[in-house]
Amino acid sequence: MSEPTTTAAAMVRAEGVRKSFGLVEVLKGIDLEVRTGEVFVLVGPSGSGKSTFLRCINHLEKVSGGRLSVDGELVGYRQKGERLYELRDHEVARKRRDIGMVFQHFNLFPHMTALENITEAPVQVRKEGKADARERARALLERVGLSDKAASYPSQLSGGQQQRVAIARALAMKPKLMLFDEPTSALDPELVGEVLDVMRGLAEEGMTMIVVTHEMGFAREVGDALVFMDAGVVVESGHPREVLANPQHERTKAFLSKVL
């Protein structure tokens, strides 16, 4: 069934997305759309479902209900007639290659250098030649301001440097979509700016990004759209500057009064 032409530019589309862990319903019917080339910011208190929704986008968590699609294709499922069938693990992994994800705690391989961390997935998953992968890894390290750290191990890098390597590692897979799950929350305050600068650069280059963050300055300056979530639902949405300056919902006002 073809998508309506009005959603042709949608990179991510959620329709009534629900997620439960046992009896606890974490996502209670999320409807939203992320346009291609957009920086989409998710904000809200801890436990509101932001990170769970992000993990559903690349099928690290399976949705319990509703439909979620990336670039016009269902996430984790295929449709045949009126029924949905879950994809096999290798099919999910193949589609996941196109979605880069940067976690709160870096998740670098400690026994590999920065260069090796970046080249591993392109060589093992995309079957790229080692020489080509290394060349592009060096270019990515330069892009994130770490060209002199190629031979350094994660333990020899600051938190901000590790996170920038993690971003370069995600970019090495040539993703069409980047997901950031509170990428600066584990960093010392003085290191936050260097990571946000890299993310600003990606935004300027037109990368489609979904960012879960408490960095409201970044949301205001760089974001194209903002959603405030609470208790598993979308409470308020709009342009970041409008929502942050003039929130309409009392719950949004209460949250922003504590973080701005």
Side-chain angles (χ1 to χ4, degrees):
M1 187 169 62
S2 62
E3 292 286 339
T5 55
T6 54
T7 61
M11 177 60 73
V12 177
R13 196 166 173 227
E15 302 169 271
V17 170
R18 311 180 85 88
K19 174 63 183 177
S20 297
F21 295 98
L23 297 177
V24 179
E25 192 173 31
V26 178
L27 300 177
K28 303 173 182 177
I30 301 296
D31 294 293
L32 57 80
E33 189 174 284
V34 180
R35 314 293 288 179
T36 300
E38 193 170 53
V39 178
F40 193 95
V41 183
L42 290 173
V43 302
S46 297
S48 59
K50 309 181 303 296
S51 293
T52 297
F53 178 70
L54 212 64
R55 291 171 66 85
C56 287
I57 292 173
N58 63 2
H59 208 56
L60 288 175
E61 299 289 354
K62 300 177 183 178
V63 300
S64 304
R67 296 165 66 90
L68 187 56
S69 60
V70 172
D71 202 17
E73 295 187 7
L74 285 172
V75 173
Y77 299 88
R78 73 162 59 88
Q79 182 167 349
K80 189 173 182 181
E82 296 299 315
R83 299 190 64 180
L84 295 180
Y85 296 88
E86 189 169 1
L87 298 178
R88 295 182 175 90
D89 288 346
H90 73 274
E91 294 174 300
V92 171
R94 187 170 65 245
K95 292 193 174 188
R96 194 178 283 148
R97 298 185 310 191
D98 295 327
I99 304 173
M101 187 159 186
V102 178
F103 298 89
Q104 181 176 344
H105 292 289
F106 325 138
N107 290 356
L108 297 176
F109 298 117
H111 62 290
M112 294 183 178
T113 65
L115 191 74
E116 290 167 343
N117 263 283
I118 297 169
T119 57
E120 180 72 5
V123 171
Q124 298 298 328
V125 179
R126 287 197 178 273
K127 307 303 179 185
E128 292 184 14
K130 289 185 178 181
D132 289 342
R134 277 196 294 268
E135 182 179 351
R136 199 149 52 79
R138 291 187 186 280
L140 286 167
L141 281 171
E142 183 175 357
R143 184 178 179 182
V144 299
L146 294 173
S147 56
D148 60 333
K149 300 296 184 182
S152 299
Y153 289 90
S155 62
Q156 299 171 313
L157 302 173
S158 70
Q161 290 170 337
Q162 289 186 61
Q163 193 61 294
R164 285 186 280 160
V165 172
I167 293 172
R169 181 179 63 178
L171 293 173
M173 292 295 284
K174 304 177 183 177
K176 62 179 70 171
L177 169 67
M178 285 284 285
L179 310 176
F180 292 87
D181 189 7
E182 301 197 28
T184 61
S185 62
L187 301 178
D188 292 334
E190 65 268 24
L191 302 178
V192 169
E194 61 191 46
V195 173
L196 294 181
D197 285 344
V198 171
M199 295 170 64
R200 284 188 183 93
L202 291 176
E204 290 169 1
E205 294 167 16
M207 173 65 72
T208 309
M209 302 160 60
I210 304 178
V211 184
V212 172
T213 186
H214 291 292
E215 298 292 338
M216 298 302 163
F218 174 86
R220 183 187 296 109
E221 297 164 24
V222 184
D224 298 301
L226 180 145
V227 157
F228 171 68
M229 288 179 62
D230 187 35
V233 299
V234 172
V235 176
E236 189 166 345
S237 62
H239 191 279
R241 292 182 183 178
E242 294 173 4
V243 175
L244 295 177
N246 188 28
Q248 300 300 302
H249 197 283
E250 290 302 321
R251 184 65 188 91
T252 316
K253 293 177 183 177
F255 172 77
L256 292 177
S257 71
K258 296 174 182 176
V259 299
L260 288 179

